Amino acid sequence: MFRIPTLLLLIVLFTSVAAQDTEYKTLSNIPYYPEEVRSQDNYISERCMLDIYYPVNKKDFTTIVWFHGGGLTGGNKELPDALKNKGLCIVGVNYRLAPGVKAPAYIEDAAAAVAWVFKNIRQYGGDTSQIFVSGHSAGGYLAMMIGLDKQYLAVHNIDANSIAGLIPFSGQAITHFTIRKENGIDDKQPVVDKYAPLFHVRADAPPMLLITGDRELELLGRYEENAYLARMMKVAGHQHTRLLELDGYGHDMVYPAFPLLLNEITRLSKSN
């Protein structure tokens, strides 16, 4: 586990291997559920869409699936500018939100979106062995849930271990506070059940880099949850979990975390 001084972030560099003349294309509002599912659920038809930003003249590119934050109750899909023009593909995902649905609907949506990427990214030029899953806050929680609890991707005949890496930003490691609220549990009452990434620690999970803000500035307990998850993953025998704490940054720590995400992708890609 490492505490990252703010000053150090100023010298974190990511060297893109993309050629200067790389061209990119954006496709918006692609449904990731099949028509037979969408036709039976108006909310799925309205909400369950994704956007793709990808290099059009490059083959076997890496893909980052990005889940937005918003407490599982708000937010919209996004293609972060900090990840653009790096020779990578970005997939921004919308998912259903509470109170329109309850758990596990939004987790199921996240899995359906990642499964869509595995099944379709080749046609755009992507490499299915280089699909990373990330997101901020609620998005980080979703990334961890579908990466650690294999049942969600298994529904789509995808092995969660096929994910190249999980890189959540300030994701909730215990049961998400919105799910606790759905069950009448106070948001200050910690719960670790089947809806908690901590419940699904396992030795054979994909590599995982946990990034949080400063423990004194983060949402209540968020750093500590991630620190406990990192510890328990190691206790379980997982050899590739790391935790980074961004000194001086609170919960809204996405900007300084993006270079760390890109560096992690480079590190893991070189190790393959």
Side-chain angles (χ1 to χ4, degrees):
M1 302 179 188
F2 300 93
R3 191 177 179 94
I4 306 297
T6 301
L7 182 61
L8 180 61
L9 293 171
L10 299 177
I11 61 173
V12 173
L13 299 176
F14 174 80
T15 303
S16 173
V17 297
Q20 293 298 314
D21 60 350
T22 299
E23 297 178 8
Y24 295 88
K25 184 174 183 178
T26 301
L27 300 177
S28 301
N29 295 322
I30 300 172
Y32 55 82
Y33 277 109
E35 173 59 30
E36 57 267 26
V37 175
R38 303 198 307 274
S39 64
Q40 297 177 24
D41 190 314
N42 289 335
Y43 195 20
I44 285 179
S45 181
E46 167 196 341
R47 183 72 186 174
C48 295
M49 305 279 188
L50 54 80
D51 297 344
I52 305 177
Y53 167 94
Y54 68 99
V56 296
N57 57 347
K58 181 178 179 179
K59 297 299 182 183
D60 299 323
F61 53 70
T62 293
T63 298
I64 303 171
V65 182
W66 177 260
F67 293 110
H68 68 82
L72 300 176
T73 62
N76 285 292
K77 56 183 164 57
E78 55 192 2
L79 300 170
D81 288 341
L83 302 179
K84 292 181 176 179
N85 300 308
K86 300 294 192 295
L88 307 168
C89 171
I90 315 165
V91 178
V93 181
N94 264 355
Y95 46 89
R96 287 173 291 172
L97 302 169
V101 294
K102 294 183 177 181
Y106 23 72
I107 307 171
E108 293 169 345
D109 290 350
V114 169
W116 185 96
V117 174
F118 270 99
K119 294 176 181 179
N120 291 276
I121 202 64
R122 278 198 185 97
Q123 74 183 66
Y124 300 95
D127 180 354
T128 55
S129 72
Q130 292 298 309
I131 296 173
F132 293 81
V133 183
S134 185
H136 175 237
S137 195
Y141 165 79
L142 293 175
M144 287 191 284
M145 280 300 300
I146 65 170
L148 293 176
D149 187 351
K150 300 184 73 173
Q151 67 165 317
Y152 292 104
L153 279 169
V155 170
H156 304 277
N157 297 313
I158 301 293
D159 185 349
N161 290 1
S162 299
I163 296 172
L166 302 169
I167 312 176
F169 292 9
S170 193
Q172 191 133 37
I174 63 174
T175 300
H176 196 278
F177 61 79
T178 292
I179 299 176
R180 282 178 274 157
K181 182 178 180 181
E182 290 172 357
N183 290 280
I185 301 170
D186 187 88
D187 62 4
K188 296 184 181 63
Q189 176 64 51
V191 174
V192 175
D193 62 13
K194 65 181 181 179
Y195 294 126
L198 261 166
F199 192 81
H200 303 284
V201 297
R202 55 190 179 88
D204 62 337
M208 185 161 61
L209 174 64
L210 307 169
I211 309 175
T212 77
D214 190 314
R215 68 190 74 184
E216 299 300 331
L217 301 174
E218 263 282 10
L219 292 182
L220 181 62
R222 190 59 55 92
Y223 165 80
E224 288 80 5
E225 293 173 27
N226 278 261
Y228 188 40
L229 175 59
R231 172 60 62 191
M232 295 311 294
M233 287 292 286
K234 291 179 180 179
V235 169
H238 193 261
Q239 301 296 312
H240 303 287
T241 296
R242 296 191 298 142
L243 170 64
L244 301 180
E245 178 185 8
L246 302 182
D247 191 16
Y249 290 90
H251 186 60
D252 188 17
M253 37 60 80
V254 291
Y255 178 76
F258 280 130
L260 302 176
L261 180 155
L262 293 169
N263 285 348
E264 180 71 355
I265 289 174
T266 299
R267 186 184 73 83
L268 291 174
S269 297
K270 288 179 177 178
S271 67
N272 291 338

